[in-house]
Every structure is written in C-alpha cells, then in structure tokens.
Amino acid sequence: MPSNGRRYPERPVPGVGALIFDQGRLLLVQRANPPYQGWWSLPGGAIELGEVAQEALHREVREETGLEIEIDRLGEIFDRIVRDEAGRVEYHYILLDYVCRPVGGTLLPGSDAAALRWADKEEIGNLQLTSGTLEVALRNWPTNPA
C-alpha cells in the first residue's frame, strides 16, 4: 500500500522537533492527530519542499505553540518508525531534534495541538509520551536550567 504521502510512505519523511527548555521545564504538545493522537510529544513536524530544516522548526513551533524560539544546538537525529498490525511501515520520520529556548510569542495551542504543557524532569516519565520522547528529552535536558 505504498504512497507518496506520510502514511505508508515510499521513503522516510524528514522532519524536525523542538526540545524547548525554560526554567528547567520542557514544553510538550498533546497531539491532536494520528499517529499517536492524544499522546504527548515534542512540537515539530515535516519539512516542506524547499524549506531549510531550521526554518521548518521555527514554522512548526510557531504553528503548534505560538512561541518564537532561539535554537541552541542540534540535540540528535531520531528515527520514528510506526508499524501497523501486519508489520508494514505505516509512518517513518527521520527527525532532527533541536535544543531551543523561547524568546517571544504567546503560548497557545495551534490546530495540530490538543493541549500544551510545561513538564519538569521528575514528572515527564508519568505522561503518555510518544516512543522515544522520554529518552531524547533526558539525554538533552540542560544540567544548569536557565
């Protein structure tokens, strides 16, 4: 059932994610759409044709959270592969996760976000997170929160 879209893709879809830290907390988005609808994840999404990865990150964060960010560094590259019941690849994203901080805007969930929340390191493990989000967050959590 290959397609040129995001579901059952012919090849991986490049995307971006934002690890937005502020005062020792991480901003999470509750996903409004599949895959993982209702689960908590990092703000982000697919890179559009002709768009530079960091431009995509700024756009996605603005659309999902209302915030303007400053990028500190590339945190890591993460493969999100979701298989259906038959074992076929239903979604495959290669995500560039950037460590960021908010520098402006107004926190407000966009159409792709059911809700937003700031989570500290102690509570994040108690949330229903998309696969890999906890590990990526903990590996990139600042040691000296600002």
Side-chain angles (χ1 to χ4, degrees):
M1 180 182 247
S3 76
N4 290 326
R6 293 182 189 177
R7 191 165 184 222
Y8 296 103
E10 292 180 6
R11 59 183 49 94
V13 176
V16 290
L19 290 146
I20 304 172
F21 291 101
D22 188 39
Q23 299 178 1
R25 300 173 305 160
L26 174 66
L27 183 62
L28 296 172
V29 172
Q30 188 177 39
R31 299 181 56 83
N33 303 307
Y36 296 112
Q37 183 175 6
W39 293 39
W40 294 94
S41 189
L42 302 175
I47 300 170
E48 295 177 358
L49 183 65
E51 189 174 45
V52 174
Q54 291 186 354
E55 291 171 349
L57 185 69
H58 284 279
R59 176 185 50 75
E60 286 287 348
V61 167
R62 192 177 314 110
E63 288 174 2
E64 289 186 12
T65 72
L67 294 181
E68 297 297 330
I69 55 166
E70 183 170 310
I71 298 171
D72 290 332
R73 64 181 173 82
L74 175 64
E76 60 187 84
I77 299 170
F78 179 76
D79 283 284
R80 173 157 293 133
I81 301 170
V82 178
R83 296 183 183 276
D84 66 14
E85 296 82 23
R88 295 175 301 171
V89 174
E90 187 173 4
Y91 297 96
H92 184 174
Y93 294 95
I94 299 174
L95 302 171
L96 307 172
D97 287 332
Y98 290 90
V99 176
C100 312
R101 62 182 177 277
V103 294
T106 302
L107 190 63
L108 185 66
S111 62
D112 285 354
L116 303 171
R117 74 174 290 167
W118 291 100
D120 62 33
K121 202 171 188 178
E122 290 72 36
E123 70 181 322
I124 190 172
N126 297 324
L127 300 173
Q128 185 180 34
L129 301 170
T130 56
S131 63
T133 299
L134 178 62
E135 296 81 4
V136 168
L138 294 178
R139 281 194 298 268
N140 288 280
W141 211 284
T143 53
N144 297 317

